[in-house]
Amino acid sequence: MKVISSVKKFQIIQYFSYFYTLYFAMSVGRQKKHINPDKLSEIRTIREGLLNAETLSQNILKGDTTSLSKAITLLESTHKKHQKEATALLEKIIPKTGKSIRIGITGVPGVGKSTFIEQFGLHFIRQGKKVAVLAIDPSSPVSGGSILGDKTRMEKLSSHPNAYIRPSAAGSTLGGVAKRTRETIYLCEAAGFDVIFIETVGVGQSETLVHSMTDFFLLMHLTGAGDSLQGIKRGVVEMADAIVINKADGDNIERARRAKNEIQNALHIWSPKPGNWLPPVLMCSAIENKGIVEIAQVIDSYLEEHKKSGHFENKRKAQQKFWFNQALESQLKTDFYENKTVKSELKNMVKSLESKNSNPFVLADELLKKYYQRLSENT
Ligand code: GDP
Protein backbone atom coordinates (compact mmCIF):
# COMPACT_ATOMS: atom_id res chain seq x y z
CA MET A 1 0.00 0.00 0.00
CA LYS A 2 2.75 2.31 1.01
CA VAL A 3 4.53 1.75 -2.31
CA ILE A 4 1.39 2.52 -4.38
CA SER A 5 0.75 5.75 -2.54
CA SER A 6 4.30 6.98 -3.04
CA VAL A 7 4.02 6.25 -6.78
CA LYS A 8 0.76 8.25 -6.82
CA LYS A 9 2.42 11.04 -4.90
CA PHE A 10 5.18 11.10 -7.45
CA GLN A 11 2.67 11.27 -10.33
CA ILE A 12 0.81 14.16 -8.68
CA ILE A 13 4.07 16.07 -8.21
CA GLN A 14 4.92 15.38 -11.85
CA TYR A 15 1.54 16.79 -13.02
CA PHE A 16 1.96 19.85 -10.84
CA SER A 17 5.46 20.56 -12.07
CA TYR A 18 4.32 20.09 -15.68
CA PHE A 19 1.47 22.63 -15.30
CA TYR A 20 3.69 25.01 -13.36
CA THR A 21 6.35 24.93 -16.11
CA LEU A 22 3.63 25.58 -18.71
CA TYR A 23 2.23 28.50 -16.70
CA PHE A 24 5.73 29.93 -16.16
CA ALA A 25 6.61 29.72 -19.84
CA MET A 26 3.34 31.44 -20.79
CA SER A 27 3.81 34.22 -18.26
CA VAL A 28 7.37 34.85 -19.46
CA GLY A 29 6.01 35.06 -23.02
CA ARG A 30 3.37 37.59 -21.86
CA GLN A 31 5.97 39.64 -20.02
CA LYS A 32 8.17 39.72 -23.10
CA LYS A 33 5.32 41.11 -25.19
CA HIS A 34 4.60 43.86 -22.70
CA ILE A 35 8.15 44.68 -21.79
CA ASN A 36 8.53 48.28 -20.80
CA PRO A 37 10.55 50.16 -23.50
CA ASP A 38 12.46 52.04 -20.77
CA LYS A 39 13.44 48.73 -19.23
CA LEU A 40 14.58 47.46 -22.63
CA SER A 41 16.83 50.45 -23.19
CA GLU A 42 18.20 50.03 -19.67
CA ILE A 43 19.07 46.40 -20.43
CA ARG A 44 20.75 47.52 -23.66
CA THR A 45 22.73 50.21 -21.84
CA ILE A 46 23.94 47.69 -19.29
CA ARG A 47 24.90 45.25 -22.02
CA GLU A 48 26.73 47.87 -24.07
CA GLY A 49 28.14 49.34 -20.89
CA LEU A 50 30.21 46.19 -20.59
CA LEU A 51 32.03 47.31 -23.71
CA ASN A 52 32.08 50.91 -22.63
CA ALA A 53 35.52 52.55 -22.26
CA GLU A 54 34.81 54.02 -18.84
CA THR A 55 33.47 50.81 -17.27
CA LEU A 56 36.15 48.68 -18.88
CA SER A 57 39.03 50.92 -17.82
CA GLN A 58 37.81 51.00 -14.22
CA ASN A 59 37.52 47.21 -14.10
CA ILE A 60 40.83 46.61 -15.87
CA LEU A 61 42.65 48.88 -13.44
CA LYS A 62 41.22 46.71 -10.65
CA GLY A 63 42.81 43.70 -12.36
CA ASP A 64 39.59 42.15 -13.65
CA THR A 65 40.59 39.68 -16.38
CA THR A 66 37.04 39.23 -17.70
CA SER A 67 37.01 42.94 -18.57
CA LEU A 68 40.54 42.57 -19.95
CA SER A 69 39.31 39.89 -22.36
CA LYS A 70 36.31 42.03 -23.32
CA ALA A 71 38.61 45.00 -23.95
CA ILE A 72 40.84 42.89 -26.20
CA THR A 73 37.76 41.78 -28.14
CA LEU A 74 36.84 45.46 -28.46
CA LEU A 75 40.31 46.22 -29.86
CA GLU A 76 39.93 43.44 -32.39
CA SER A 77 36.48 44.50 -33.55
CA THR A 78 36.21 46.10 -36.97
CA HIS A 79 32.92 47.77 -35.97
CA LYS A 80 33.34 51.59 -36.16
CA LYS A 81 31.60 52.17 -32.81
CA HIS A 82 33.81 49.59 -31.09
CA GLN A 83 36.95 51.09 -32.63
CA LYS A 84 36.00 54.51 -31.26
CA GLU A 85 35.41 53.00 -27.83
CA ALA A 86 38.72 51.11 -28.03
CA THR A 87 40.60 54.35 -28.78
CA ALA A 88 38.90 56.04 -25.82
CA LEU A 89 39.81 53.08 -23.62
CA LEU A 90 43.49 53.18 -24.65
CA GLU A 91 43.62 56.91 -23.94
CA LYS A 92 42.34 56.28 -20.44
CA ILE A 93 44.71 53.46 -19.58
CA ILE A 94 47.98 54.42 -21.34
CA PRO A 95 49.10 56.72 -18.48
CA LYS A 96 48.98 53.65 -16.20
CA THR A 97 51.17 51.46 -18.41
CA GLY A 98 54.86 50.81 -19.01
CA LYS A 99 55.80 49.09 -15.76
CA SER A 100 56.06 45.50 -16.92
CA ILE A 101 58.97 43.53 -18.35
CA ARG A 102 58.17 42.59 -21.93
CA ILE A 103 59.90 39.43 -23.08
CA GLY A 104 59.82 38.26 -26.71
CA ILE A 105 60.31 34.56 -27.41
CA THR A 106 60.84 32.99 -30.81
CA GLY A 107 61.86 29.63 -32.22
CA VAL A 108 60.76 27.03 -34.72
CA PRO A 109 57.63 24.96 -33.95
CA GLY A 110 58.53 22.11 -31.64
CA VAL A 111 61.56 23.82 -30.06
CA GLY A 112 59.66 23.89 -26.77
CA LYS A 113 58.39 27.47 -26.54
CA SER A 114 55.16 26.71 -24.73
CA THR A 115 56.78 24.17 -22.39
CA PHE A 116 59.43 26.78 -21.60
CA ILE A 117 56.99 29.69 -21.17
CA GLU A 118 54.93 27.59 -18.77
CA GLN A 119 57.96 26.85 -16.56
CA PHE A 120 59.31 30.37 -16.90
CA GLY A 121 55.92 31.89 -16.15
CA LEU A 122 55.49 29.72 -13.05
CA HIS A 123 58.96 30.82 -11.92
CA PHE A 124 57.87 34.47 -11.98
CA ILE A 125 54.56 33.62 -10.32
CA ARG A 126 56.46 31.95 -7.46
CA GLN A 127 58.20 35.29 -7.02
CA GLY A 128 54.80 36.91 -6.52
CA LYS A 129 54.47 38.31 -10.03
CA LYS A 130 51.55 38.28 -12.46
CA VAL A 131 52.26 36.85 -15.90
CA ALA A 132 50.55 37.39 -19.25
CA VAL A 133 51.25 35.43 -22.45
CA LEU A 134 50.39 36.89 -25.85
CA ALA A 135 51.27 35.69 -29.32
CA ILE A 136 51.88 36.94 -32.81
CA ASP A 137 51.06 34.16 -35.16
CA PRO A 138 52.20 34.84 -38.73
CA SER A 139 49.78 32.20 -40.00
CA SER A 140 46.70 33.70 -38.36
CA PRO A 141 46.01 36.44 -40.95
CA VAL A 142 45.94 33.69 -43.56
CA SER A 143 44.27 30.81 -41.78
CA GLY A 144 42.33 32.75 -39.15
CA GLY A 145 43.48 30.07 -36.75
CA SER A 146 46.05 30.23 -34.03
CA ILE A 147 48.99 27.94 -33.55
CA LEU A 148 50.42 29.92 -30.65
CA GLY A 149 49.43 31.13 -27.20
CA ASP A 150 47.07 28.21 -26.97
CA LYS A 151 45.77 27.61 -23.48
CA THR A 152 45.76 23.85 -23.83
CA ARG A 153 49.51 23.93 -24.35
CA MET A 154 50.14 25.59 -20.98
CA GLU A 155 47.71 23.88 -18.67
CA LYS A 156 49.34 24.66 -15.33
CA LEU A 157 50.00 28.27 -16.19
CA SER A 158 46.62 28.95 -17.74
CA SER A 159 44.76 27.66 -14.71
CA HIS A 160 46.77 29.85 -12.34
CA PRO A 161 44.90 32.92 -11.05
CA ASN A 162 47.98 35.13 -11.56
CA ALA A 163 48.38 34.20 -15.21
CA TYR A 164 46.57 35.34 -18.31
CA ILE A 165 46.99 33.65 -21.69
CA ARG A 166 45.58 35.11 -24.87
CA PRO A 167 46.01 33.44 -28.25
CA SER A 168 47.10 35.45 -31.25
CA ALA A 169 44.99 38.47 -32.13
CA ALA A 170 42.64 38.34 -35.08
CA GLY A 171 43.35 40.45 -38.14
CA SER A 172 43.63 40.53 -41.88
CA THR A 173 47.33 41.44 -41.99
CA LEU A 174 50.37 40.57 -39.90
CA GLY A 175 50.84 44.31 -39.24
CA GLY A 176 47.26 44.52 -37.98
CA VAL A 177 47.73 41.51 -35.71
CA ALA A 178 50.93 43.05 -34.34
CA LYS A 179 49.29 46.45 -33.73
CA ARG A 180 46.58 44.77 -31.66
CA THR A 181 49.14 42.75 -29.72
CA ARG A 182 51.02 45.99 -29.02
CA GLU A 183 47.81 47.54 -27.70
CA THR A 184 47.04 44.39 -25.71
CA ILE A 185 50.36 44.87 -23.91
CA TYR A 186 49.04 48.26 -22.71
CA LEU A 187 45.85 46.62 -21.45
CA CYS A 188 47.74 43.84 -19.64
CA GLU A 189 50.03 46.38 -17.99
CA ALA A 190 47.06 48.44 -16.85
CA ALA A 191 45.57 45.23 -15.39
CA GLY A 192 48.71 44.83 -13.27
CA PHE A 193 50.66 42.14 -15.12
CA ASP A 194 54.38 42.38 -14.27
CA VAL A 195 55.82 40.07 -16.90
CA ILE A 196 54.47 39.86 -20.43
CA PHE A 197 55.63 37.17 -22.85
CA ILE A 198 55.09 37.69 -26.55
CA GLU A 199 55.62 34.49 -28.43
CA THR A 200 56.09 34.04 -32.15
CA VAL A 201 57.18 31.58 -34.76
CA GLY A 202 58.06 32.96 -38.11
CA VAL A 203 60.50 33.56 -40.86
CA GLY A 204 61.69 37.05 -40.08
CA GLN A 205 58.85 39.53 -40.27
CA SER A 206 56.93 38.46 -37.18
CA GLU A 207 60.18 38.36 -35.17
CA THR A 208 60.91 41.95 -36.18
CA LEU A 209 57.48 42.98 -34.96
CA VAL A 210 57.88 41.15 -31.64
CA HIS A 211 61.36 42.65 -31.24
CA SER A 212 59.88 46.11 -31.73
CA MET A 213 57.57 45.73 -28.75
CA THR A 214 59.74 43.90 -26.22
CA ASP A 215 62.58 44.75 -23.81
CA PHE A 216 64.33 41.41 -24.10
CA PHE A 217 64.31 39.07 -27.08
CA LEU A 218 65.01 35.39 -26.56
CA LEU A 219 65.78 33.00 -29.38
CA MET A 220 65.13 29.33 -28.64
CA HIS A 221 67.24 26.84 -30.52
CA LEU A 222 67.55 23.09 -30.89
CA THR A 223 70.69 21.10 -31.38
CA GLY A 224 71.14 19.54 -34.79
CA ALA A 225 71.81 20.72 -38.34
CA GLY A 226 75.55 20.67 -37.64
CA ASP A 227 74.97 22.27 -34.22
CA SER A 228 75.24 25.76 -35.65
CA LEU A 229 72.81 28.56 -36.28
CA GLN A 230 72.15 27.13 -39.71
CA GLY A 231 68.63 27.68 -40.91
CA ILE A 232 68.06 30.76 -38.78
CA LYS A 233 68.06 34.06 -40.59
CA ARG A 234 70.97 36.28 -39.68
CA GLY A 235 68.56 39.13 -38.92
CA VAL A 236 66.77 37.04 -36.31
CA VAL A 237 70.03 36.06 -34.57
CA GLU A 238 71.09 39.73 -34.58
CA MET A 239 67.92 40.65 -32.72
CA ALA A 240 68.48 38.06 -29.97
CA ASP A 241 69.52 39.26 -26.50
CA ALA A 242 70.10 35.64 -25.49
CA ILE A 243 70.02 32.28 -27.21
CA VAL A 244 68.63 29.32 -25.32
CA ILE A 245 69.38 25.76 -26.39
CA ASN A 246 66.40 23.78 -25.20
CA LYS A 247 66.03 20.03 -24.67
CA ALA A 248 69.45 19.82 -23.02
CA ASP A 249 68.50 16.60 -21.27
CA GLY A 250 69.04 12.84 -21.52
CA ASP A 251 71.24 11.81 -24.46
CA ASN A 252 71.11 15.32 -25.83
CA ILE A 253 73.20 17.05 -23.13
CA GLU A 254 76.54 16.56 -24.84
CA ARG A 255 75.25 17.79 -28.18
CA ALA A 256 73.68 20.79 -26.49
CA ARG A 257 77.07 21.63 -24.92
CA ARG A 258 78.81 21.44 -28.29
CA ALA A 259 76.13 23.61 -29.88
CA LYS A 260 76.48 26.15 -27.07
CA ASN A 261 80.25 26.50 -27.63
CA GLU A 262 79.91 26.69 -31.36
CA ILE A 263 77.21 29.36 -31.27
CA GLN A 264 79.07 31.33 -28.62
CA ASN A 265 82.16 31.43 -30.84
CA ALA A 266 80.09 32.47 -33.83
CA LEU A 267 78.50 35.33 -31.89
CA HIS A 268 81.89 36.76 -30.89
CA ILE A 269 82.56 37.73 -34.49
CA TRP A 270 79.41 39.86 -34.64
CA SER A 271 79.37 43.46 -33.54
CA PRO A 272 78.18 43.91 -29.96
CA LYS A 273 74.70 45.17 -29.20
CA PRO A 274 73.88 48.50 -27.52
CA GLY A 275 75.43 48.74 -24.07
CA ASN A 276 78.17 46.32 -25.22
CA TRP A 277 75.86 43.44 -24.45
CA LEU A 278 77.13 40.15 -25.76
CA PRO A 279 74.14 37.79 -26.01
CA PRO A 280 74.83 34.77 -23.81
CA VAL A 281 74.13 31.24 -25.01
CA LEU A 282 72.39 29.16 -22.36
CA MET A 283 71.25 25.58 -22.08
CA CYS A 284 67.95 24.51 -20.61
CA SER A 285 65.54 21.66 -20.28
CA ALA A 286 62.06 23.10 -20.13
CA ILE A 287 60.58 19.68 -19.50
CA GLU A 288 62.88 18.99 -16.52
CA ASN A 289 62.69 22.61 -15.34
CA LYS A 290 66.48 22.98 -15.53
CA GLY A 291 68.31 26.18 -16.46
CA ILE A 292 65.19 28.33 -16.00
CA VAL A 293 66.48 30.26 -12.98
CA GLU A 294 69.76 31.02 -14.82
CA ILE A 295 67.84 32.48 -17.76
CA ALA A 296 65.80 34.65 -15.39
CA GLN A 297 69.06 35.87 -13.83
CA VAL A 298 70.45 36.82 -17.25
CA ILE A 299 67.32 38.85 -17.97
CA ASP A 300 67.55 40.51 -14.55
CA SER A 301 71.15 41.58 -15.09
CA TYR A 302 70.37 42.75 -18.64
CA LEU A 303 67.56 44.94 -17.33
CA GLU A 304 69.64 46.27 -14.47
CA GLU A 305 72.56 47.21 -16.76
CA HIS A 306 70.37 48.68 -19.46
CA LYS A 307 68.25 50.69 -17.05
CA LYS A 308 71.39 52.14 -15.46
CA SER A 309 72.96 53.07 -18.79
CA GLY A 310 69.73 54.53 -20.22
CA HIS A 311 69.63 51.99 -23.05
CA PHE A 312 66.38 50.58 -21.71
CA GLU A 313 64.58 53.92 -22.01
CA ASN A 314 66.19 54.64 -25.39
CA LYS A 315 64.96 51.33 -26.73
CA ARG A 316 61.42 52.00 -25.55
CA LYS A 317 61.50 55.49 -27.09
CA ALA A 318 62.73 54.07 -30.41
CA GLN A 319 59.90 51.53 -30.24
CA GLN A 320 57.36 54.33 -29.73
CA LYS A 321 58.69 56.00 -32.90
CA PHE A 322 58.53 52.71 -34.78
CA TRP A 323 54.85 52.23 -33.86
CA PHE A 324 54.07 55.84 -34.69
CA ASN A 325 55.51 55.34 -38.17
CA GLN A 326 53.75 52.02 -38.56
CA ALA A 327 50.42 53.63 -37.61
CA LEU A 328 50.94 56.51 -40.04
CA GLU A 329 51.89 54.23 -42.90
CA SER A 330 49.01 51.85 -42.37
CA GLN A 331 46.46 54.68 -42.02
CA LEU A 332 47.73 56.40 -45.17
CA LYS A 333 47.52 53.15 -47.08
CA THR A 334 43.97 52.46 -45.87
CA ASP A 335 42.84 56.02 -46.71
CA PHE A 336 44.37 55.77 -50.16
CA TYR A 337 42.86 52.44 -51.12
CA GLU A 338 39.45 53.34 -49.68
CA ASN A 339 39.31 56.58 -51.65
CA LYS A 340 36.50 56.48 -54.25
CA THR A 341 38.63 57.87 -57.09
CA VAL A 342 41.40 55.39 -56.38
CA LYS A 343 38.93 52.51 -56.22
CA SER A 344 37.41 53.33 -59.60
CA GLU A 345 40.69 54.24 -61.37
CA LEU A 346 42.78 51.41 -60.01
CA LYS A 347 40.96 48.64 -61.89
CA ASN A 348 41.46 50.33 -65.27
CA MET A 349 45.07 51.13 -64.55
CA VAL A 350 45.87 47.56 -63.53
CA LYS A 351 44.26 46.40 -66.78
CA SER A 352 46.25 48.87 -68.87
CA LEU A 353 49.43 47.56 -67.22
CA GLU A 354 48.97 44.42 -69.27
CA SER A 355 49.79 46.40 -72.40
CA LYS A 356 53.44 46.22 -73.39
CA ASN A 357 53.85 49.97 -73.71
CA SER A 358 52.55 50.89 -70.28
CA ASN A 359 54.86 52.47 -67.76
CA PRO A 360 54.02 51.40 -64.18
CA PHE A 361 55.79 54.42 -62.69
CA VAL A 362 53.91 56.93 -64.81
CA LEU A 363 50.63 55.21 -64.01
CA ALA A 364 51.35 55.20 -60.27
CA ASP A 365 52.20 58.90 -60.46
CA GLU A 366 48.99 59.59 -62.36
CA LEU A 367 46.90 57.76 -59.76
CA LEU A 368 48.51 59.65 -56.91
CA LYS A 369 47.85 62.97 -58.67
CA LYS A 370 44.18 62.05 -59.10
CA TYR A 371 44.02 61.08 -55.43
CA TYR A 372 45.51 64.39 -54.27
CA GLN A 373 43.21 66.30 -56.61
CA ARG A 374 40.19 64.52 -55.13
CA LEU A 375 41.41 65.32 -51.63
CA SER A 376 41.86 69.04 -52.42
CA GLU A 377 38.37 69.17 -53.96
CA ASN A 378 36.92 67.75 -50.76
CA THR A 379 38.59 70.28 -48.47
P1 GDP B 1 56.57 24.76 -29.34
O1 GDP B 1 55.91 24.32 -30.60
O2 GDP B 1 57.85 25.48 -29.63
O3 GDP B 1 55.67 25.53 -28.44
O4 GDP B 1 57.00 23.43 -28.56
P2 GDP B 1 56.29 22.65 -27.37
O5 GDP B 1 56.51 23.34 -26.07
O6 GDP B 1 54.88 22.36 -27.75
O7 GDP B 1 57.15 21.32 -27.33
C1 GDP B 1 57.26 20.43 -28.42
C2 GDP B 1 57.61 19.05 -27.93
O8 GDP B 1 58.90 19.07 -27.33
C3 GDP B 1 56.66 18.53 -26.87
O9 GDP B 1 56.46 17.16 -27.08
C4 GDP B 1 57.39 18.76 -25.56
O10 GDP B 1 57.04 17.83 -24.56
C5 GDP B 1 58.83 18.58 -25.99
N1 GDP B 1 59.76 19.35 -25.16
C6 GDP B 1 59.64 20.66 -24.81
N2 GDP B 1 60.66 21.02 -24.04
C7 GDP B 1 61.46 19.94 -23.89
C8 GDP B 1 62.69 19.68 -23.19
O11 GDP B 1 63.26 20.54 -22.53
N3 GDP B 1 63.22 18.43 -23.32
C9 GDP B 1 62.63 17.46 -24.04
N4 GDP B 1 63.23 16.29 -24.09
N5 GDP B 1 61.46 17.65 -24.69
C10 GDP B 1 60.88 18.87 -24.62
Side-chain angles (χ1 to χ4, degrees):
M1 271 307 272
K2 251 188 175 178
V3 175
I4 293 166
S5 71
S6 53
V7 169
K8 267 192 179 166
K9 260 188 218 162
F10 178 68
Q11 280 177 338
I12 292 165
I13 291 167
Q14 250 191 336
Y15 280 129
F16 265 112
S17 64
Y18 171 72
F19 283 117
Y20 181 73
T21 313
L22 204 67
Y23 171 76
F24 183 72
M26 281 164 71
S27 64
V28 167
R30 269 202 308 276
Q31 271 175 21
K32 252 192 172 171
K33 256 189 218 165
H34 299 115
I35 202 155
N36 179 349
D38 289 343
K39 199 84 193 151
L40 202 66
S41 87
E42 192 187 308
I43 293 168
R44 261 197 213 121
T45 318
I46 293 169
R47 204 168 49 195
E48 287 181 4
L50 294 174
L51 289 178
N52 162 288
E54 185 59 45
T55 322
L56 282 177
S57 69
Q58 280 172 12
N59 292 345
I60 288 172
L61 291 170
K62 281 184 216 151
D64 175 32
T65 47
T66 310
S67 296
L68 176 62
S69 296
K70 282 187 181 138
I72 298 172
T73 307
L74 194 67
L75 281 181
E76 292 177 3
S77 170
T78 49
H79 199 290
K80 279 254 160 16
K81 196 176 157 219
H82 289 163
Q83 285 176 348
K84 221 171 137 187
E85 212 64 49
T87 309
L89 171 65
L90 286 172
E91 246 166 59
K92 279 179 198 297
I93 57 114
I94 278 181
K96 320 269 182 203
T97 63
K99 293 194 190 90
S100 79
I101 310 166
R102 306 162 185 169
I103 303 172
I105 295 183
T106 194
V108 294
V111 70
K113 290 182 296 302
S114 50
T115 315
F116 173 76
I117 292 173
E118 172 154 83
Q119 298 288 9
F120 210 30
L122 290 169
H123 166 82
F124 285 109
I125 284 175
R126 280 193 289 273
Q127 292 186 332
K129 297 197 166 120
K130 283 175 76 184
V131 173
V133 183
L134 313 174
I136 292 186
D137 180 352
S139 72
S140 80
V142 184
S143 65
S146 171
I147 56 166
L148 289 167
D150 194 341
K151 280 189 188 204
T152 55
R153 299 190 308 147
M154 301 174 209
E155 272 170 30
K156 271 192 222 146
L157 192 63
S158 64
S159 60
H160 200 285
N162 287 343
Y164 180 78
I165 300 177
R166 178 86 184 188
S168 184
S172 55
T173 61
L174 184 57
V177 170
K179 174 183 178 274
R180 288 188 188 116
T181 310
R182 176 72 192 91
E183 290 168 338
T184 305
I185 293 179
Y186 288 137
L187 294 177
C188 290
E189 287 181 343
F193 286 92
D194 310 285
V195 183
I196 302 175
F197 292 113
I198 298 111
E199 179 190 7
T200 195
V201 50
V203 281
Q205 207 194 340
S206 65
E207 278 95 342
T208 310
L209 292 167
V210 171
H211 183 251
S212 65
M213 60 178 86
T214 48
D215 305 312
F216 192 92
F217 192 69
L218 201 99
L219 170 64
M220 289 190 76
H221 190 55
L222 285 172
T223 55
D227 286 345
S228 67
L229 286 172
Q230 233 176 326
I232 303 177
K233 278 199 168 179
R234 193 188 162 105
V236 175
V237 181
E238 273 172 347
M239 282 189 278
D241 296 306
I243 296 176
V244 168
I245 299 162
N246 192 34
K247 306 198 184 181
D249 44 45
D251 297 343
N252 211 24
I253 293 184
E254 211 28 63
R255 286 177 62 194
R257 248 183 227 130
R258 274 204 308 273
K260 176 186 151 102
N261 291 337
E262 203 166 308
I263 294 167
Q264 227 155 17
N265 290 338
L267 289 181
H268 273 291
I269 313 164
W270 296 14
S271 48
K273 295 170 78 78
N276 273 333
W277 178 261
L278 187 68
V281 186
L282 303 139
M283 295 199 303
C284 108
S285 169
I287 224 155
E288 290 181 2
N289 201 6
K290 283 183 186 152
I292 304 285
V293 177
E294 289 76 5
I295 298 167
Q297 281 165 352
V298 163
I299 297 181
D300 271 350
S301 61
Y302 174 93
L303 292 172
E304 203 186 316
E305 274 181 39
H306 283 67
K307 279 183 180 171
K308 245 191 234 160
S309 65
H311 281 103
F312 181 86
E313 264 313 303
N314 289 344
K315 193 170 174 178
R316 283 208 171 174
K317 279 180 195 161
Q319 291 177 346
Q320 286 284 81
K321 284 183 199 155
F322 173 87
W323 286 101
F324 173 73
N325 287 330
Q326 286 279 109
L328 271 182
E329 278 169 31
S330 105
Q331 195 54 50
L332 281 173
K333 216 167 154 182
T334 310
D335 284 355
F336 178 76
Y337 285 108
E338 278 180 4
N339 182 279
K340 274 188 187 156
T341 309
V342 174
K343 270 187 180 169
S344 68
E345 293 285 332
L346 199 61
K347 271 189 205 155
N348 299 334
M349 286 197 174
V350 170
K351 245 193 180 160
S352 66
L353 274 174
E354 289 168 11
S355 130
K356 250 192 193 169
N357 301 329
S358 66
N359 182 339
F361 305 105
V362 170
L363 283 178
D365 212 33
E366 215 175 282
L367 186 60
L368 277 168
K369 274 187 191 138
K370 283 185 178 166
Y371 169 67
Y372 289 131
Q373 197 180 338
R374 170 85 187 211
L375 283 187
S376 65
E377 281 164 12
N378 286 346
T379 50

